[in-house]
Amino acid sequence: MGGTIFTVLFIFFITCFSAEGQKPLLSPIHKDNATKLYSISAYLETPLQRRDLHLDLGASLTWVDCTRRYKSSTYRHVLYNASLCIELDTGIYGNCFKKPGPACFNDSCEFFPENSVTRQVAIGDILLDSLALPTTNGKNPGKLLLDLDFVFSCGTTKLLRGLATGVTGLAALGRFNFSLPAQLSRTFSSPFVFAICLPSTPSANGVAIFNSFGPYFLLPGIDVSQSLIYTPLLLNPYGGTVITYVNRPSDEYFIGVTGIKVNGKSVSVNMTLLEIDQESGIGGTKITTSTPYGILQTSIFKALTAAFKEAAAAMKVTPASPVAPFSLCYAADKIPSTRVGPAVPTIDLVLQSESVFWRIFGANSMVNVGGNTLCLGFLDGGVEPRTSIVIGGLQIEDNLLQFDLVSKRLGFSSSLLFRSTTCSNFNFTNTG
Ligand SMILES: *[C@@H]1O[C@H](CO)[C@@H](O)[C@H](O)[C@H]1NC(C)=O
Ligand SMILES: *[C@@H]1O[C@H](CO)[C@@H](O)[C@H](O)[C@H]1NC(C)=O
Ligand SMILES: *[C@@H]1O[C@H](CO)[C@@H](O)[C@H](O)[C@H]1NC(C)=O
Ligand SMILES: *[C@@H]1O[C@H](CO)[C@@H](O)[C@H](O)[C@H]1NC(C)=O
Ligand SMILES: *[C@@H]1O[C@H](CO)[C@@H](O)[C@H](O)[C@H]1NC(C)=O
Ligand SMILES: *[C@@H]1O[C@H](CO)[C@@H](O)[C@H](O)[C@H]1NC(C)=O
């Protein structure tokens, strides 16, 4: 144990004497084969342990299962009347009548951790403890950098149900000023900006880079930060979480889609659905990592599916029997492969002007459901969903996304396959 404490102190001293300015940090991103969800790895507790946390782009506060697995010599509780608890404004505190521990303390500041996949909620104590991530020069990982006062909530083992096996909590990457990237930027006096690059395969990790506008190098030596397209990040005045707070906006990332095109031809969609209603927060387009596929309001879903079917027919590709939960499928061997996936019609999400669009190629629109079948990877979200267009994991794999909370904009690369690289091409050889 003595050795471990020494290591931790040593890391801490390195951080104190390293150069000022931006302190880029990174984390690998893993795709789970069974759930098709993504997780990041971070070092938690004292002594530091590598933990996998479900990657949730839109969540407010990170939570960790601290009911049985959490073994740390440095965790601290936060009292309900502490200034931190008042800033967090969680509105709840609690007492404990069981064995005292990380998840059990009297007068503790508490929070409602949510599983964004199952929409289950628990109540957990707010804790402060260590979190460490490797630094990066944008090319390789380096030494670990330690945040001794990372703020998170306790979750429960039960709350982990529905997430990938092996995951012990949820990493919150939302707009909230106590999300993981917000805390990392504040602790290390760096800009509130981060990038994620989701892998399309469980066999090789993608990467998340915090506190840096770039470079973001992918083999063979491509700096993706040099060629991003930007669109404003929009604020939704109302959160879509199970527990919401009055006067607190959504922590999810919304963008302004103004139209959809299939093979360059406009699809007719109800414009009201594309806007965020400022009274209710209903409508608009968000990006999430908590659903594997895109989800569209029924009328948009029908219009896109019909346009896609027509454009594919014009390319002499005819549908095969659908495979649930998808409704438009094709025989894979009837569709040629290209660098950017199956040769199917392109889907463009038109943004702030006709010339700014996010083009979705076959690799990000088609799901291989096995048995020689490819299906259009969007689901029907019903007539009255909270959000009209949900861009899911499939759509953003092998695309680099930069969330710039300084300029409130999203930078996106479109498919990296076009540039003959992927999100699994970060060089994880440690140079620390
Ligand atoms: C992923 O799961 C599928 C079945 O759903 C299986 O065929 C495949 O081998 C698995 N791949 C990996 C890398 O485990
Ligand atoms: C917070 O409450 C505790 C008792 O629960 C009390 O001892 C302490 O003085 C209070 N602190 C502040 C800043 O009010
Ligand atoms: C919390 O306070 C109650 C009495 O108010 C006490 O019975 C209980 O043991 C305390 N719990 C802890 C964890 O200190
Ligand atoms: C976080 O945001 C809340 C509400 O916007 C604000 O009251 C609080 O001071 C902020 N805290 C920090 C550390 O920026
Ligand atoms: C468009 O959507 C809005 C909001 O759901 C609805 O009130 C309106 O009737 C729709 N318009 C048409 C032409 O379908
Ligand atoms: C990965 O990075 C290491 C350290 O910088 C370097 O030696 C190695 O050549 C790189 N690998 C590739 C494939 O470029």
Side-chain angles (χ1 to χ4, degrees), residues 79-83 106-107:
L79 287 176
Y80 70 93
N81 58 2
S83 60
N106 276 343
D107 299 322

Side-chain angles (χ1 to χ4, degrees), residues 256-400:
V257 172
T258 56
I260 301 176
K261 290 181 180 176
V262 172
N263 264 2
K265 201 176 143 198
S266 285
V267 176
S268 159
V269 293
N270 181 340
M271 297 306 287
T272 310
L273 294 171
L274 298 184
E275 275 158 29
I276 300 167
D277 186 288
Q278 296 300 307
E279 300 289 310
S280 64
I282 291 171
T285 302
K286 73 173 181 185
I287 305 169
T288 175
T289 48
S290 286
T291 159
Y293 311 110
I295 304 176
L296 306 173
Q297 190 274 349
T298 298
S299 69
I300 301 176
F301 174 79
K302 284 187 177 156
L304 175 71
T305 306
F308 193 91
K309 197 169 166 182
E310 192 188 311
M315 294 163 77
K316 309 235 178 317
V317 185
T318 50
S321 315
V323 175
F326 305 104
S327 57
L328 183 58
C329 300
Y330 296 92
D333 61 8
K334 297 271 163 44
I335 302 180
S337 291
T338 70
R339 190 155 58 151
V340 286
V344 294
T346 56
I347 300 170
D348 293 343
L349 302 177
V350 183
L351 300 162
Q352 65 269 37
S353 74
E354 283 289 308
S355 60
V356 184
F357 53 85
W358 177 335
R359 178 156 289 179
I360 300 172
F361 296 96
N364 297 107
S365 63
M366 304 307 286
V367 186
N368 189 337
V369 296
N372 186 37
T373 306
L374 287 175
C375 299
L376 181 62
F378 288 93
L379 303 175
D380 184 346
V383 181
E384 290 186 325
R386 194 168 167 77
T387 302
S388 303
I389 300 180
V390 175
I391 300 173
L394 172 69
Q395 281 74 46
I396 56 178
E397 288 177 349
D398 290 331
N399 284 243
L400 184 135

Side-chain angles (χ1 to χ4, degrees), residues 5 13 57 71 73 81 87 92 123 128-129 138 179 200-201 232-233 239 262 286 327 334 354-355 389 412 414 425:
I5 289 162
F13 283 120
L57 253 188
K71 292 190 175 62
S73 59
N81 58 2
E87 259 183 85
I92 50 162
I123 295 180
L128 291 173
D129 204 353
S179 71
S200 56
T201 165
L233 285 171
V262 172
K286 73 173 181 185
S327 57
K334 297 271 163 44
E354 283 289 308
S355 60
I389 300 180
F412 61 97
S414 201
N425 275 348

Side-chain angles (χ1 to χ4, degrees), residues 69-151:
R69 290 181 245 231
Y70 202 85
K71 292 190 175 62
S72 179
S73 59
T74 50
Y75 77 83
R76 281 147 290 149
H77 279 103
V78 176
L79 287 176
Y80 70 93
N81 58 2
S83 60
L84 174 60
C85 191
I86 293 158
E87 259 183 85
L88 283 165
D89 191 24
T90 64
I92 50 162
Y93 65 95
N95 282 340
C96 174
F97 300 95
K98 288 186 248 168
K99 193 169 159 253
C104 187
F105 193 74
N106 276 343
D107 299 322
S108 177
C109 184
E110 296 192 325
F111 182 75
F112 294 105
E114 177 172 328
N115 177 324
S116 51
V117 176
T118 61
R119 308 298 306 263
Q120 295 296 302
V121 178
I123 295 180
D125 287 5
I126 298 280
L127 299 185
L128 291 173
D129 204 353
S130 316
L131 174 137
L133 288 175
T135 54
T136 183
N137 55 4
K139 271 189 177 142
N140 294 101
K143 291 182 178 66
L144 284 183
L145 197 52
L146 182 67
D147 177 355
L148 291 168
D149 300 311
F150 182 66
V151 183

Side-chain angles (χ1 to χ4, degrees), residues 4-249:
T4 315
I5 289 162
F6 174 76
T7 310
V8 171
L9 290 175
F10 182 64
I11 294 164
F12 179 57
F13 283 120
I14 289 170
T15 72
C16 288
F17 295 110
S18 59
E20 65 288 298
Q22 291 188 23
K23 292 219 177 56
L25 300 172
L26 73 74
S27 163
I29 300 180
H30 178 69
K31 179 175 179 179
D32 178 55
N33 196 27
T35 59
K36 317 285 180 217
L37 298 171
Y38 312 87
S39 58
I40 69 163
S41 301
Y43 293 85
L44 302 176
E45 304 159 53
T46 304
L48 292 171
Q49 304 287 333
R50 192 185 146 139
R51 299 291 187 208
D52 292 335
L53 306 172
H54 170 68
L55 190 165
D56 187 338
L57 253 188
S60 317
L61 195 66
T62 298
W63 58 263
V64 174
D65 174 14
C66 43
T67 49
R68 62 190 168 97
R69 290 181 245 231
Y70 202 85
K71 292 190 175 62
S72 179
S73 59
T74 50
Y75 77 83
R76 281 147 290 149
H77 279 103
V78 176
L79 287 176
Y80 70 93
N81 58 2
S83 60
L84 174 60
C85 191
I86 293 158
E87 259 183 85
L88 283 165
D89 191 24
T90 64
I92 50 162
Y93 65 95
N95 282 340
C96 174
F97 300 95
K98 288 186 248 168
K99 193 169 159 253
C104 187
F105 193 74
N106 276 343
D107 299 322
S108 177
C109 184
E110 296 192 325
F111 182 75
F112 294 105
E114 177 172 328
N115 177 324
S116 51
V117 176
T118 61
R119 308 298 306 263
Q120 295 296 302
V121 178
I123 295 180
D125 287 5
I126 298 280
L127 299 185
L128 291 173
D129 204 353
S130 316
L131 174 137
L133 288 175
T135 54
T136 183
N137 55 4
K139 271 189 177 142
N140 294 101
K143 291 182 178 66
L144 284 183
L145 197 52
L146 182 67
D147 177 355
L148 291 168
D149 300 311
F150 182 66
V151 183
F152 61 97
S153 160
C154 280
T156 61
T157 308
K158 206 175 142 194
L159 197 60
L160 295 169
R161 281 187 203 155
L163 302 180
T165 306
V167 155
T168 58
L170 175 148
L173 270 54
R175 302 177 71 130
F176 188 47
N177 61 13
F178 286 92
S179 71
L180 173 64
Q183 291 194 56
L184 292 175
S185 89
R186 206 156 51 237
T187 303
F188 300 113
S189 309
S190 300
F192 186 1
V193 56
F194 66 96
I196 60 165
C197 203
L198 301 185
S200 56
T201 165
S203 53
N205 287 333
V207 66
I209 297 182
F210 302 95
N211 291 353
S212 163
F213 288 104
Y216 314 129
F217 277 104
L218 296 173
L219 295 170
I222 300 166
D223 176 8
V224 184
S225 69
Q226 295 299 315
S227 51
L228 299 175
I229 304 166
Y230 297 95
T231 193
L233 285 171
L234 306 182
L235 192 68
N236 185 326
Y238 294 95
T241 46
V242 174
I243 307 288
T244 52
Y245 293 89
V246 188
N247 299 330
R248 191 185 289 171

